[in-house]
Amino acid sequence: MSEKILVIGANGQIGTELVMALRNIHGTDNVIASDIHAPAPGNNTGPFEHVNVMDKDNLRSLFEKYRPAQVYLLAAILSATGEKQPKLAWDLNMTGLIHVLDFAIEFKTAKVFWPSSIAVFGPHSPKENTPQFCTMDPNTVYGFSKLAGERWCEYYYVKYGVDVRSIRYPGLIGWKSAPGGGTTDYAVNIFHEALENGKYESFLSADTALPMMYMEDAIRATISLMDAPAYSLGIRSSYNLAGISFTPAQLADEIKKHLPDFEMSYSNHDPRQAIADSWPKSIDDSHAQQDWGWKIKYDLAAMTADMLANLEKVKG
């Protein structure tokens, strides 16, 4: 019987594209998508299981049924949404991870992937070219749940030998699914609004620089890390991953090269601005480059052109 791969939180922004990529590599029937919600009709193209990561018995049944060789745990409450429901965000983000790590031991899962985020950095972290190891004082529940999760991942690797791997994702931009309530969502919403209405009001200020990454690069990085030999990986908390750092104004200027009449405005006093101000402006991912050969493909111009081209096809 072929080895099975379980993706938990498969209907989210990352999961939607990761499941498709994994099925292209490993075969549709070998990649089990799971989520607390049913998949969208267009994404219901392979095995799917309902799962609540906070229900340990429910989750155990999936491990018993499939005995997965790899598990990707993507279920989470993101930054902006987490600030509205902080205790729920902490419970879901932590409980799901501990459950999966425990089952990885019990069912001898070969590899586990769990996503961290640039949200682990905080006001006293270096803002420019933020290094892998530095002061980390996150001030959002999403950020400190991710930082705690990193420590759990490394703990389970050192103490129990769980081959857990992780990436600190920057803001992610893709056209195949809707964003999930994060602080960097403007960089997805702007493309939809530019095509539909010719204008967009950004909830972040014009000069707020943040690390971003096109989803195709993020999926490629995730699979590359999981394919890397274990001996090459020197970090078991979470790898920094750099993308392309830009501001809302710079993104708007790039969009105007394709849509000259596009208009950009900026709102005031949005709570997401304070979150963004505490995050890095750019990331040093030299450890990922050295350990598993990471290299980015899409710059701002290539990403913008590809986003607009694909969304125009989708929107007709």
Side-chain angles (χ1 to χ4, degrees), residues 145-158:
S145 71
K146 286 299 185 184
L147 182 54
E150 288 188 11
R151 308 319 309 149
W152 279 116
C153 287
E154 187 169 74
Y155 184 83
Y156 270 73
Y157 170 74
V158 172

Side-chain angles (χ1 to χ4, degrees), residues 101-168:
L101 292 174
D102 284 342
F103 288 142
I105 297 171
E106 182 178 347
F107 292 92
K108 297 180 173 58
T109 301
K111 288 184 279 191
V112 174
F113 179 82
W114 175 80
S116 188
S117 165
I118 59 169
V120 297
F121 301 112
H124 295 93
S125 304
K127 291 291 186 287
E128 302 285 351
N129 213 29
T130 306
Q132 177 70 43
F133 304 105
C134 63
T135 297
M136 302 167 76
D137 57 342
N139 55 9
T140 64
V141 66
Y142 179 66
F144 56 74
S145 71
K146 286 299 185 184
L147 182 54
E150 288 188 11
R151 308 319 309 149
W152 279 116
C153 287
E154 187 169 74
Y155 184 83
Y156 270 73
Y157 170 74
V158 172
K159 193 169 182 66
Y160 305 112
V162 178
D163 187 354
V164 59
R165 306 175 182 203
S166 180
I167 284 171
R168 291 171 183 157

Side-chain angles (χ1 to χ4, degrees), residues 4-43:
K4 302 299 183 184
I5 297 172
L6 176 62
V7 181
I8 303 169
N11 294 344
Q13 188 184 19
I14 299 173
T16 300
E17 300 201 31
L18 180 63
V19 167
M20 288 188 283
L22 289 172
R23 284 177 173 167
N24 286 336
I25 297 168
H26 300 280
T28 297
D29 292 341
N30 295 321
V31 180
I32 316 304
S34 65
D35 201 286
I36 197 169
H37 302 295
N43 296 329

Side-chain angles (χ1 to χ4, degrees), residues 213 216-218 220-222 224 240-243 285 287-297:
M213 179 170 285
E216 184 174 318
D217 273 335
R220 185 169 53 85
T222 304
S224 295
N240 271 9
L241 195 68
D285 65 359
H287 285 271
Q289 295 177 40
Q290 294 164 9
D291 290 1
W292 42 281
W294 165 244
K295 186 177 181 181
I296 194 167
K297 177 180 176 182

